[in-house]
Amino acid sequence: MENFKEYYAWLQPGPVGCSASCSPMRPGRGVSLREVCVHGSEQADFAARELRGGLNWLAGQNICDENSGYKITLGLDPGIQAQGYRINGDGNGSFITGADREGLIYGVFAFLGKVGMGEDLPGISAESAPVVRKRILNHWDNMDGSVERGYSGKSLFFRDGRFCYDPSRMKDYARLLASVGINELSINNVNVTDASARLITPELLPEAAELAAIFRPFGVRLILAVDFESPVKLGGLNTADPLNGEVAAWWKNAARVVYDYIPDLAGFVVKADSEFRDGPAALGRTQADGANTVARALKDFGGTVYWRCFVYNCRQDWRDAKTDRPKAAFEHFYPLDGTFDENVVLQIKNGPVDFQVREPVSPLFGRMKHTKQAVEFQITQEYTGQQIDLYNLAVQWEEFFAAPISEHRLARDIMGKEAAAIAGVANTGCDGNWTGHLLAQANLYAFGRMAWDPGLTAKQVTSEWVCRTFGKNTEFDAITGMMLASRGVYEKYASPLGLGWMVNINHHYGPSPEGYEYMKWGTYHRADNTAVGVDRTAKGTGFAGQYEPWLEALYSDVKTCPEELLLFFHRVRYDYRLKSGKTLLQHIYDTHFEGAAEVQAFMDIWDSLKGRLPQGAYESVADRLKRQLQNALEWRDVVNAYFYRKTGVGDEMGREIYG
Ligand code: GCV
């Protein structure tokens, strides 16, 4: 594995990407990559170049590419479902056929992926098309180079108020994203600043257009985050009221300018009426008024408005036990179902609160039947270990897709239907390996793969990533195993039974059981000396009533509520017996001891692979695991001490709890 570089992520060069037993130089049936030649029509030009480059990369030298040997033919077939591809082959050659240019590129990357994993060239056959047409990566990058909730170094795009990037690295990034099917990319933070608001002005648009040109051939279209207040801040108007004619005209003109520079811009993403940002509600208008005005400006250019539903009161009084933050998005948006324009997509966080380790599916999914929606996941690990702790998000996303949204439908069932898009907040930055923690690359990989096909399992995508990154080797199944376990382990030491929010304030790493308890953010667990959790049934805040009756009933009964969400929906006494027979309190103690011990077990597994993995990769992950253990021990001791102090009841097994 001497050519291994973390930077190459899952696109490692072939002789490195595979162990000796599956060298792609001899993929089988006598076909050597060197003997391959690539053919394609003019329309297939870019894809053919990528394929040649990819094969050279995998072969470790240039393929012969003469009109002889094993021929790979690229072509288009509009009969295939949009963005889809088909790959087949016979003894003499392979055919990669795309529905369109995008589909062809995806076909090429799928083919290269399979070669990289050691499949025989003639045997490679596949047919696939994305379930969800828009697969979006949202960067929260600021123009000063910082990244909100970024754990992988500085911004890939900006520095000191300007665009600043290495074009060849940017091309590698575009390739990485396209290789997992990501086709839209917003580059700036939804918390738009005065500096980034100017991205839609001629001052910065020429540079934005240059960036768009790098991503375009890879089928990745840019999105810009815009400020709802732009008509005031940029246009000098005295209001941003979406029903004001001048405001609507301002947006139309702004859109015309933007599309002059970037004719294929995918659209704008907007965070309004959220976390101190103004929006239509602040002006007495609805979210539909706001979204539709911007959407009408983009319509003629084929653009979409991604309107975020993260609208809630972030100035709540903790004494007010009636207002319940998870209810907010539904209250604002559900009554407006059917009133949004065709080119509005409501971007809804996967859960009703804010990317916690465990939340139910947002009740908006499935209930808004006449409005296009995007699921928003957080790939960057804000609440899930910040790319210090190992946390494989594919497991969480698989659970999301498999969760019921009504009696007869799972979240997966609306993907590609009401859910027209899947967006993920990026976990990438300027760090050499893109994601800080090497194993966090798997989260970006899984995001793209699962947005393409929400039916994929965490096991499939994680083992694929391990194989493509480290090579095909059964010993590496242990890596897949620990990655798949990692979400559960983190949950054990960080967040009992759907409680969430016991994090340190602001930066959100490490434990602080009452960090948010008396704050304005609406995130309370209300632990006292007899019970903990929030009653969100009809007897409590009524949040459960936002689901369809069947689901409301399921969540509202303490006996049928999934135990992992127990404290999200119920206020439960510490002596309540869980299905295991343990008391709630003992369960909390046990899981915290187990979680920390399981991190130690991860370290042992990783240690056992020393010498089999590239040294640098081994060391960088070993170092993160060491830091994770410190974090897990801190969580264990702080949370256990907290509940011990509340209850005065010790651990049944007599383990040390700091009183
Ligand atoms: C971009 C959370 C994060 C914020 C983020 C916000 C959002 O509250 O802590 O950093 O802001 O979500 O999704 O808009």
Side-chain angles (χ1 to χ4, degrees):
M1 304 190 85
E2 69 279 5
N3 292 330
F4 175 92
K5 274 200 188 144
E6 295 191 16
Y7 176 84
Y8 301 146
W10 52 88
L11 301 179
Q12 296 293 326
V16 175
C18 275
S19 63
S21 62
C22 69
S23 167
M25 290 301 293
R26 282 270 157 214
R29 302 197 205 161
V31 179
S32 151
L33 286 190
R34 270 187 306 238
E35 294 158 17
V36 162
C37 63
V38 174
H39 282 254
S41 62
E42 215 178 292
Q43 283 165 308
D45 210 32
F46 181 79
R49 250 181 292 143
E50 279 299 306
L51 179 58
R52 279 192 196 96
L55 291 169
N56 291 343
W57 183 245
L58 289 170
Q61 57 184 278
N62 284 355
I63 57 170
C64 78
D65 211 19
E66 282 163 12
N67 202 7
S68 61
Y70 191 86
K71 189 163 159 184
I72 306 175
T73 308
L74 306 187
L76 296 182
D77 174 358
I80 298 174
Q81 195 188 312
Q83 300 180 26
Y85 62 82
R86 188 176 53 232
I87 305 173
N88 46 28
D90 54 30
N92 305 314
S94 293
F95 302 88
I96 306 177
T97 315
D100 38 39
R101 279 174 199 258
E102 292 82 8
L104 193 53
I105 291 170
Y106 299 136
V108 160
F109 284 121
F111 185 82
L112 289 169
K114 286 173 187 292
V115 177
M117 286 192 285
E119 285 194 31
D120 294 343
L121 255 60
I124 295 178
S125 91
E127 186 149 7
S128 187
V131 172
V132 177
R133 279 185 48 218
K134 293 159 179 277
R135 302 167 300 280
I136 309 167
L137 197 62
N138 287 159
H139 275 260
W140 285 353
D141 291 21
N142 298 313
M143 297 214 52
D144 63 3
S146 62
V147 180
E148 182 151 352
R149 310 305 177 188
Y151 312 105
S152 316
K154 294 260 183 200
S155 165
L156 283 164
F157 313 117
F158 307 116
R159 212 63 99 244
D160 303 325
R162 305 289 314 179
F163 278 91
C164 177
Y165 55 84
D166 166 5
S168 94
R169 179 166 195 178
M170 209 42 70
K171 192 170 170 193
D172 289 341
Y173 192 45
R175 180 176 295 117
L176 214 50
L177 301 189
S179 75
V180 290
I182 289 165
N183 63 353
E184 295 187 13
L185 172 74
S186 68
I187 55 173
N188 61 309
N189 191 352
V190 288
N191 286 330
V192 178
T193 59
D194 287 350
S196 63
R198 309 192 72 76
L199 280 167
I200 57 170
T201 68
E203 181 192 332
L204 291 170
L205 276 166
E207 289 169 85
E210 278 173 31
L211 188 68
I214 297 179
F215 285 93
R216 182 171 298 118
F218 289 93
V220 181
R221 295 162 72 196
L222 293 198
I223 296 173
L224 295 172
V226 299
D227 190 341
F228 174 81
E229 288 280 292
S230 295
V232 176
K233 290 188 180 158
L234 300 175
L237 302 185
N238 59 16
T239 178
D241 180 354
L243 298 190
N244 176 302
E246 278 184 85
V247 169
W250 187 89
W251 278 111
K252 283 206 166 169
N253 190 51
R256 192 183 47 71
V257 174
V258 169
Y259 278 86
D260 272 353
Y261 285 91
I262 312 176
D264 61 349
L265 190 86
F268 292 161
V269 55
V270 188
K271 171 174 178 176
D273 286 313
S274 176
E275 302 192 327
F276 311 109
R277 310 191 67 76
D278 274 345
L283 299 164
R285 307 299 187 195
T286 68
Q287 298 300 315
D289 294 332
N292 290 343
T293 295
V294 184
R296 282 166 202 166
L298 299 186
K299 186 165 188 255
D300 290 347
F301 307 100
T304 299
V305 173
Y306 296 100
W307 192 266
R308 297 180 82 230
C309 295
F310 189 53
V311 175
Y312 70 99
N313 174 12
C314 65
R315 295 181 179 94
Q316 193 179 325
D317 183 341
W318 61 268
R319 298 167 190 86
D320 164 15
K322 286 210 176 67
T323 307
D324 191 19
R325 174 169 161 183
K327 292 170 75 177
F330 190 91
E331 284 170 350
H332 282 277
F333 288 91
Y334 178 64
L336 301 173
D337 191 19
T339 65
F340 291 92
D341 283 10
E342 264 296 289
N343 60 333
V344 175
V345 172
L346 293 188
Q347 190 160 312
I348 307 165
K349 291 192 180 189
N350 58 287
V353 197
D354 191 4
F355 300 136
Q356 297 302 288
V357 174
R358 181 74 70 169
E359 290 184 39
V361 171
S362 164
L364 283 169
F365 296 118
R367 296 292 313 269
M368 287 198 95
K369 300 224 166 64
H370 310 288
T371 303
K372 287 190 186 147
Q373 299 146 39
V375 184
E376 183 178 308
F377 291 129
Q378 195 181 42
I379 316 173
T380 193
Q381 293 174 234
E382 177 179 357
Y383 295 99
T384 53
Q386 306 202 349
Q387 280 133 256
I388 296 168
D389 298 29
L390 177 63
Y391 190 111
N392 188 253
L393 283 152
V395 172
Q396 188 167 324
W397 299 333
E398 181 182 338
E399 287 163 1
F400 171 87
F401 291 124
I405 53 171
S406 69
E407 188 172 0
H408 302 293
R409 294 205 302 175
L410 307 179
R412 180 189 302 140
D413 299 330
I414 62 163
M415 299 302 135
K417 298 186 179 109
E418 292 102 297
I422 297 185
V425 181
N427 64 347
T428 43
C430 268
D431 274 1
N433 65 5
W434 306 95
T435 54
H437 197 315
L438 169 62
L439 303 187
Q441 288 178 355
N443 288 332
L444 180 61
Y445 183 83
F447 171 75
R449 298 281 291 119
M450 294 173 100
W452 177 281
D453 180 359
L456 288 171
T457 64
K459 188 166 179 204
Q460 278 170 297
V461 296
T462 306
S463 57
E464 225 174 75
W465 178 82
V466 168
C467 176
R468 293 185 65 172
T469 304
F470 297 120
K472 199 171 181 175
N473 182 339
T474 46
E475 280 180 317
F476 298 158
D477 291 352
I479 305 178
T480 309
M482 83 184 215
M483 289 171 76
L484 290 174
S486 64
R487 180 270 167 87
V489 168
Y490 190 90
E491 183 175 29
K492 280 185 178 176
Y493 62 76
S495 181
L497 304 164
L499 211 51
W501 293 108
M502 287 192 158
V503 287
N504 280 307
I505 61 165
N506 299 330
H507 63 73
H508 300 162
Y509 188 73
S512 177
E514 295 201 336
Y516 277 101
E517 202 51 24
Y518 302 100
M519 299 276 282
K520 61 192 171 205
W521 300 95
T523 48
Y524 316 114
H525 54 68
R526 303 192 189 277
D528 64 16
N529 60 354
T530 55
V532 60
V534 179
D535 181 355
R536 295 195 159 103
T537 70
K539 290 197 201 107
T541 72
F543 164 75
Q546 293 183 342
Y547 294 94
E548 288 194 352
W550 175 84
L551 201 47
E552 179 189 1
L554 182 103
Y555 287 141
S556 296
D557 184 342
V558 81
K559 295 281 176 227
T560 55
C561 178
E563 265 187 357
E564 62 275 12
L565 286 169
L566 190 65
L567 301 180
F568 188 95
F569 283 102
H570 297 275
R571 182 160 185 79
V572 180
R573 289 178 55 90
Y574 296 111
D575 55 7
Y576 174 80
R577 295 262 166 209
L578 298 172
K579 291 189 183 109
S580 62
K582 289 179 188 178
T583 63
L584 177 74
L585 182 69
Q586 190 58 38
H587 174 89
I588 292 174
Y589 290 153
D590 284 353
T591 50
H592 282 78
F593 281 112
E594 282 163 24
E598 285 165 21
V599 176
Q600 181 62 61
F602 286 168
M603 293 172 78
D604 297 342
I605 293 171
W606 196 253
D607 248 18
S608 74
L609 295 167
K610 191 173 182 178
R612 292 176 180 76
L613 290 166
Q615 184 65 8
Y618 166 77
E619 279 167 10
S620 76
V621 174
D623 178 62
R624 300 265 161 169
L625 287 169
K626 223 187 274 166
R627 292 165 69 190
Q628 179 173 1
L629 182 63
Q630 289 314 309
N631 190 36
L633 292 172
E634 192 65 7
W635 271 101
R636 179 194 73 186
D637 292 340
V638 170
V639 173
N640 284 349
Y642 178 73
F643 285 108
Y644 175 64
R645 288 176 187 178
K646 285 274 175 210
T647 60
V649 177
D651 173 38
E652 285 169 6
M653 289 163 74
R655 290 163 294 193
E656 180 150 33
I657 292 181
Y658 300 87

